């Protein structure tokens, strides 16, 4: 029987790349996001290309009732979810704490923390009943060290780190693995969303840094998810070669290379 993975935020970036890689490797995939058109397109293309079962669940992870309803419905046909990737998330704005937009703060807290909790609350009991499963939370280097103007976004990712540690303890007796994957800057729609659709400002973030790509994160998730049953990666932080941590990075042009 094919294994099943549930990926939140699969309409773009990491989530889309993760869903694609697992489908390519024969997993049935459950994909989530708010943009239904994109979900349907992805479902079609994965089914056509890889002949796996793709279930699309269009809901907003911030909406507790909608999340419960969608997953309750899913449970009528799916009794085992092997992997949950809590990936849906965003940054909104980049401002000092005294000037931050409180609506942006709500969006980040509601999506990155509460959304992750609502989905986990629905899926973890299924894994517990099966005494197996793997929850992979997408954190960030922003959840390891704070950076200027990152305040609330960083706080949400610190929360993902804390929740991952705590979930691992809670679920340990049931043989459920919990992994936090913490990428550094990666070229997706992330900055476009953060800067409210400002393409020029978003593109500048990745200029001359050779940033991580969504497929790099998908590879890391796949690695963690396919280790032997007794091995659990607790925490995996990855950055591109020009970034040391969430606070310090250089441009490719500043990197010292060997002269021939
Ligand atoms: P993208 O903007 O490309 O993708 C974000 C995904 O999250 C989209 O599929 C979006 O779908 C979904 N999403 C956002 N809000 C909701 C919601 N309320 N309900 C359901 N789905 C939602 O960004 P990334 O792929 O880069 O980001 C994925 C995760 O990785 C995020 O948690 C982000 O914080 C984290 N991250 C990103 C890094 C980066 O530099 N790119 C580095 C480290 C971590 P839709 O709009 O259709 O709902
Ligand atoms: C996303 C990476 O550096 O923009 O989590 O916070 S960063």
């Amino acid at each position: 029987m094919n294994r099943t993975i549930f990926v939140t935020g699969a309409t773009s970036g990491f989530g889309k790349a993760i869903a694609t890689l697992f489908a390519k490797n024969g997993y049935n995939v459950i994909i989530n996001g708010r943009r239904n058109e994109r979900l349907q397109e992805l479902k079609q293309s994965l089914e056509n290309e890889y002949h796996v079962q793709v279930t699309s669940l269009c809901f907003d992870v911030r909406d507790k009732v909608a999340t419960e309803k969608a997953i309750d419905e899913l449970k009528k046909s799916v009794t085992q979810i092997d992997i949950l990737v809590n990936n849906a998330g965003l940054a909104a704005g980049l401002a000092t704490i005294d000037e931050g937009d409180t609506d942006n703060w709500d969006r980040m807290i509601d999506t990155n923390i509460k959304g992750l909790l609502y989905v986990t609350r629905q899926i973890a009991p299924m894994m517990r009943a099966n005494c197996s499963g793997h929850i992979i939370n997408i954190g960030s280097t922003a959840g390891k060290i704070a950076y200027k103007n990152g305040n609330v976004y960083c706080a949400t990712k610190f929360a993902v780190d804390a929740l991952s540690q705590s979930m691992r303890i809670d679920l340990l007796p049931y043989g459920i693995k919990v992994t936090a994957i913490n990428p550094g800057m990666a070229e997706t729609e992330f900055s476009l969303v953060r800067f409210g659709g400002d393409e020029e400002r978003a593109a500048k973030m990745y200029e001359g840094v050779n940033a991580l790509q969504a497929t790099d994160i998908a590879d890391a998730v796949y690695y963690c998810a396919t280790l032997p049953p007794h091995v659990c990666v607790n925490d995996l932080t990855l950055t591109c070669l020009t970034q040391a941590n969430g606070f310090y990075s250089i441009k490719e042009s500043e990197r010292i290379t060997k002269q021939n």
Side-chain angles (χ1 to χ4, degrees):
M1 202 178 84
N2 287 6
R3 281 160 59 80
T4 300
I5 183 169
F6 189 132
V7 186
T8 67
T11 57
S12 164
F14 300 169
K16 186 175 180 183
I18 294 164
T20 303
L21 182 61
F22 279 78
K24 190 176 174 187
N25 283 281
Y27 283 71
N28 291 332
V29 225
I30 300 158
I31 49 174
N32 152 265
R34 292 164 301 176
R35 286 170 288 182
N36 198 31
E37 209 171 291
R38 286 195 183 199
L39 285 174
Q40 294 314 320
E41 265 172 37
L42 183 61
K43 175 177 157 67
Q44 282 281 307
S45 84
L46 297 183
E47 283 178 344
N48 291 343
E49 197 149 349
Y50 304 120
H51 311 290
V52 292
Q53 201 177 312
V54 182
T55 308
S56 135
L57 293 184
C58 185
F59 66 89
D60 186 328
V61 298
R62 291 173 298 179
D63 184 336
K64 186 161 50 170
V65 174
T67 303
E68 285 170 3
K69 200 167 156 223
I71 299 177
D72 275 348
E73 193 58 35
L74 176 78
K75 284 177 186 167
K76 291 180 185 164
S77 53
V78 175
T79 54
Q80 179 151 340
I81 289 170
D82 300 288
I83 305 163
L84 164 65
V85 185
N86 278 314
N87 164 74
L90 80 167
L94 192 65
T96 56
I97 201 72
D98 50 309
E99 290 183 340
D101 177 328
T102 54
D103 288 338
N104 282 345
W105 294 356
D106 287 342
R107 273 175 75 197
M108 291 188 276
I109 291 167
D110 290 349
T111 312
N112 302 358
I113 306 178
K114 291 166 72 179
L116 178 148
L117 285 170
Y118 296 157
V119 174
T120 304
R121 182 63 184 84
Q122 295 305 308
I123 306 291
M126 291 175 78
M127 292 183 167
R128 191 183 58 199
N130 290 319
C131 291
S132 74
H134 194 166
I135 299 174
I136 300 180
N137 294 327
I138 304 298
S140 170
T141 47
K144 296 287 176 186
I145 181 170
Y147 56 81
K148 190 170 185 295
N149 297 333
N151 44 63
V152 175
Y153 178 68
C154 293
T156 65
K157 292 300 182 178
F158 271 77
V160 173
D161 192 11
L163 286 169
S164 301
Q165 293 182 38
S166 187
M167 282 182 195
R168 192 175 309 111
I169 297 167
D170 296 347
L171 300 174
L172 201 64
Y174 306 101
I176 298 168
K177 298 183 185 184
V178 178
T179 299
I181 295 191
N182 310 297
M185 70 181 138
E187 201 166 353
T188 63
E189 292 178 15
F190 176 84
S191 291
L192 196 62
V193 172
R194 171 171 244 172
F195 300 129
D198 183 337
E199 288 182 11
E200 208 175 313
R201 193 169 172 203
K204 264 207 158 47
M205 292 299 297
Y206 307 114
E207 252 171 36
V209 293
N210 201 4
L212 292 173
Q213 300 297 311
T215 48
D216 298 321
I217 283 69
D219 287 341
V221 172
Y222 193 76
Y223 167 76
C224 293
T226 52
L227 286 166
H230 67 291
V231 183
C232 176
V233 174
N234 291 355
D235 193 273
L236 191 155
T237 298
L238 65 159
T239 62
C240 63
L241 195 55
T242 52
Q243 186 174 24
N245 55 38
F247 177 73
Y248 187 77
S249 63
I250 58 171
K251 297 282 182 195
E252 266 292 329
S253 57
E254 296 171 90
R255 203 155 61 75
I256 299 159
T257 52
K258 191 174 174 188
Q259 305 297 315
N260 287 318

